[in-house]
Amino acid sequence: STILHAGIPPLMNSAYNTADILVVVLDNRIIAASGHPPGPNIGITQTGKETKSISIEDVVGSLNLDYVKLVDPFDLQNTINVMEEALRTPGQRVVISRSDCACASRKKAEYKGITLKKYEVTASCVGCKICATQIGCPPIFWRDSHSNIDPVICVGCGLCAQMCPVFAIKLRE
């Protein structure tokens, strides 16, 4: 939500001054820096009452920038395609990467009694370490010359499975 309380004036200034700039908004639908209160972009007040939701893409789009796209960061190939397109496009560009905060999603699922899907590393792991070094996912760790996934903290996003070049990460059965 930082874009809504501090990022709009600089974007407006970049449009006005025709800056060549790419801004990536990481919208995890929560304000993590201050204890996870709801932000103006999710439609819930501090007291839990439903209210109007402020659309980041509508606010940013109203600035008449050259390029504004919304991506789901867990759709890895589409996110790569949009980022490559944004890098090739001149002018003022904004990519909004939106997905719920993994910690908040897990808490919400637990509260509702929903069991999250979990991933595991299979015996076909070749030890390339891409999943362990490129994602920064806390459940992934290295042991016995291959990656492992801690099922207790895996939130089931599937990004690791998308990144694995040998398809050694699968849903747990």
Side-chain angles (χ1 to χ4, degrees):
S1 71
T2 302
I3 189 75
L4 294 175
H5 72 263
I8 298 304
L11 276 177
M12 191 181 324
N13 192 36
S14 74
Y16 176 75
N17 288 299
T18 64
D20 188 26
I21 185 172
L22 171 58
V23 174
V24 180
V25 176
L26 305 177
D27 179 14
N28 66 358
R29 316 285 289 161
I30 204 154
I31 306 171
S34 55
H36 296 136
N41 56 325
I42 64 168
I44 299 173
T45 67
Q46 295 284 345
T47 60
K49 178 183 166 192
E50 288 193 29
T51 187
K52 297 174 185 173
S53 175
I54 307 300
S55 165
I56 293 173
E57 54 271 30
D58 288 350
V59 173
V60 169
S62 73
L63 299 177
N64 198 24
L65 305 177
D66 298 309
Y67 183 95
V68 177
K69 293 277 176 127
L70 175 66
V71 297
D72 174 355
F74 295 110
D75 180 352
L76 186 59
Q77 192 54 58
N78 182 59
T79 300
I80 290 169
N81 293 344
V82 168
M83 291 303 296
E84 287 175 346
E85 181 181 54
L87 287 166
R88 287 190 305 268
T89 303
Q92 307 86 49
R93 298 143 298 157
V94 174
V95 175
I96 303 164
S97 177
R98 176 176 298 142
S99 183
D100 287 345
C101 168
C103 294
S105 293
R106 183 172 62 190
K107 285 180 186 176
K108 194 183 307 180
E110 288 171 357
Y111 178 75
K112 293 179 178 181
I114 298 169
T115 302
L116 296 174
K117 58 186 177 178
K118 308 287 183 159
Y119 284 80
E120 65 183 349
V121 179
T122 67
S124 58
C125 176
V126 296
C128 69
K129 295 187 181 181
I130 289 174
C131 64
T133 61
Q134 300 300 308
I135 303 174
C137 182
I140 300 174
F141 62 97
W142 187 259
R143 183 173 58 204
D144 300 330
S145 72
H146 62 84
S147 291
N148 294 268
I149 299 174
D150 182 342
V152 174
I153 58 176
C154 175
V155 296
C157 71
L159 187 58
C160 55
Q162 292 180 64
M163 288 192 73
C164 181
V166 296
F167 308 102
I169 300 175
K170 307 282 185 198
L171 277 171
R172 292 176 71 90
E173 293 189 23

